[in-house]
Amino acid sequence: MAVITPERLSLNTATTRAQWKLDQAIEGCARHGFGGLSPWRDQLQALGAEKAARQIRDAGLAVSGLCRGGWFTEEGALTDAVLADNRLAVDEAATIGAACLVMVVGGLPKGSRDIDGARAMIEDGLAKTLEYALTVGVKIAIEPLHPMYAADRAAVNTLAQALDICDRLGDGIGVAADVYHIWWDPAVKAEIARAGKERLYAFHLCDWLVPTTDMLNDRGMMGDGVIDIPGLRAAVEAEGFSGLNEVEIFSAGNWWKRDADEVMEIIIERAATCC
Amino acid sequence: MAVITPERLSLNTATTRAQWKLDQAIEGCARHGFGGLSPWRDQLQALGAEKAARQIRDAGLAVSGLCRGGWFTEEGALTDAVLADNRLAVDEAATIGAACLVMVVGGLPKGSRDIDGARAMIEDGLAKTLEYALTVGVKIAIEPLHPMYAADRAAVNTLAQALDICDRLGDGIGVAADVYHIWWDPAVKAEIARAGKERLYAFHLCDWLVPTTDMLNDRGMMGDGVIDIPGLRAAVEAEGFSGLNEVEIFSAGNWWKRDADEVMEIIIERAATCC
């Protein structure tokens, strides 16, 4: 398996969200020789999607994804507002030439205990967004989130569940496989093989720390935790996945407090030695 | 579905561990009309298993389980010490007439990223412990723990995975189904049906709070969270499960700070109205 060189890396801008606005992240990725980046929509909208697209293109960077569409359950029903926002996300993904629009699908509606109902609402939202995305040529990537987020962020929690949805919805929809969310799953390698190149749209890196002190913002740098990242990378690459290795670290206590250029350098080092 | 009356409840003594020693928990269960309890081994050993057995019998209480055997990966290999401790746990379960010995199987060995290896070690430990347990008539209940504990507590994380192990190991081994660990699983009802009465040895209640502020000790009282407890109870009872409804709440910030008799009263009320 080839070592990950900088041009095979993508910076998910959440990793440096405390330090860099999007224009700075674009410059930072170019300066450190990254192959691409994956912006979040709040930062993209702050800069302007057209302007961002130009800057990204001028910097010679690829866009491994746009984070994020979804949140279909946020208003307790699949409202026009939710669907319109997802269409806007599709348009933004098209504008910046994103390899996919990453979907964090939403958890239980406020006050609800009906997870089956939430999952039906999510699938309906995905189907309607996919319908639009197909017309503009944007790929939809369902990101199964770790089961600890089932209540409040995403009720799609395994690759198997995401792929079952993909099978029902057809072409143009696949998965974003984030090692943080899937490493624990006894079926992870079987489901990566089931996804295959056709459904593997994104591959996200970070690490699971022991102990984990915050359920959202205590992700680790690759190598600092317990995930067998090389094993998972080998599995996706065995299927022919050739997208960038996207680094997405939420870290209020550590990496968000460091100098962003130092973070980039450590990412490059760890990608080469721990992934 | 019948309302849960106090005699259908069991107190997992972790729920009142900050307030009551085991003899007090036995008295408390009798005073509040609970049908049984499920002690933890540290408390059981502090009182003495024989003495506890007498007190429990004199109080007319059943024992829905003994918490806990397992931790097979704790020493990085399946050592004689680990196996001996599990045989002792089996003996203790026999002494108090526990319906099962609950297994928290252990996570990754310290410094390891080899989850497949950990799982093999766990299955080996379960097989060896089962072999002994069969000789003394104690049932072994694998408790799949929420995936957020895969690294540091239990690398068996779904009912499907636990039942696959049971299928390989044969009679005398089943599962402890704790709503906290399994509620998020898209396959939970299918796997409860697969387990059936033959493999369902225990059913544990609490609730998943939103937000959850601590990964270990912020469980909710039934009704305070988002789990569809009646739906899960209906699923286990549809299989013929007739064991007690065991309440196990780790709650450093709330229930461990309350008067234990008040906690017992609230359990009785919530069992009748939210489960």
Side-chain angles (χ1 to χ4, degrees), chain A residues 146 179-185 188 208 226-227 232, chain B residues 108 115 150-151:
Chain A
H146 193 286
V179 298
Y180 193 75
H181 298 304
I182 64 176
W183 74 276
W184 62 271
D185 186 349
V188 63
W208 180 279
V226 300
I227 302 176
L232 294 172
Chain B
L108 290 167
I115 197 164

Side-chain angles (χ1 to χ4, degrees), chain A residues 108 112-113 115 119 146-148 150-152 157-158 161 183-186 189 208 210 212 215 223 225-228, chain B residues 108 112-113 115-116 119 146-148 150-152 157-158 161 183-186 208 210 212 215 223 225-228:
Chain A
L108 289 167
S112 169
R113 296 187 179 91
I115 197 164
R119 286 167 170 163
H146 193 286
M148 70 183 174
D152 52 1
N157 305 104
T158 62
Q161 184 190 3
W183 74 276
W184 62 271
D185 186 349
K189 290 188 183 169
W208 180 279
V210 179
T212 294
M215 289 172 70
V226 300
I227 302 176
D228 173 23
Chain B
L108 290 167
S112 168
R113 295 188 180 92
I115 197 164
D116 293 338
R119 286 168 170 162
H146 194 286
M148 70 183 173
D152 52 0
N157 305 103
T158 62
Q161 184 190 3
W183 74 276
W184 62 272
D185 186 349
W208 181 279
V210 178
T212 293
M215 288 172 70
V226 300
I227 302 176
D228 173 23

Side-chain angles (χ1 to χ4, degrees), chain A residues 86-244:
Chain A
N86 274 282
R87 286 193 301 272
L88 177 60
V90 169
D91 289 338
E92 290 166 348
T95 298
I96 62 171
C100 59
L101 172 62
V102 173
M103 291 291 189
V104 172
V105 297
L108 289 167
K110 200 170 171 62
S112 169
R113 296 187 179 91
D114 180 10
I115 197 164
D116 293 337
R119 286 167 170 163
M121 196 183 304
I122 287 162
E123 187 160 336
D124 192 13
L126 286 168
K128 290 186 165 68
T129 304
L130 175 61
E131 192 173 0
Y132 179 69
L134 286 168
T135 67
V136 294
V138 166
K139 289 182 173 176
I140 300 295
I142 306 171
E143 183 166 14
L145 255 56
H146 193 286
M148 70 183 174
Y149 304 121
D152 52 1
R153 297 188 169 267
V156 174
N157 305 104
T158 62
L159 280 175
Q161 184 190 3
L163 290 168
D164 286 348
I165 295 171
C166 292
D167 285 349
R168 288 189 291 268
L169 298 189
D171 292 338
I173 188 163
V175 296
D178 184 320
V179 298
Y180 193 75
H181 298 304
I182 64 176
W183 74 276
W184 62 271
D185 186 349
V188 63
K189 290 188 183 169
E191 293 298 327
I192 286 171
R194 172 185 166 198
K197 188 184 168 90
E198 298 71 32
R199 298 280 197 201
L200 284 168
Y201 290 173
F203 183 53
H204 295 183
L205 302 180
C206 67
D207 213 334
W208 180 279
L209 298 176
V210 179
T212 294
T213 58
D214 182 279
M215 289 172 70
L216 188 59
N217 293 324
D218 191 33
R219 298 191 185 190
M221 178 65 67
M222 298 81 74
D224 288 343
V226 300
I227 302 176
D228 173 23
I229 300 172
L232 294 172
R233 182 162 76 92
V236 300
E237 293 190 0
E239 297 308 316
F241 176 78
S242 59
L244 295 175

Side-chain angles (χ1 to χ4, degrees), chain B residues 1 13 23 37 56 62 79 88 95 97 114 116 186 190-191 196 205 217 253:
Chain B
M1 194 163 63
T13 64
D23 52 355
L37 84 175
I56 292 167
T79 62
L88 176 61
T95 299
D114 180 10
D116 293 338
E191 293 298 326
L205 301 180
N217 293 324

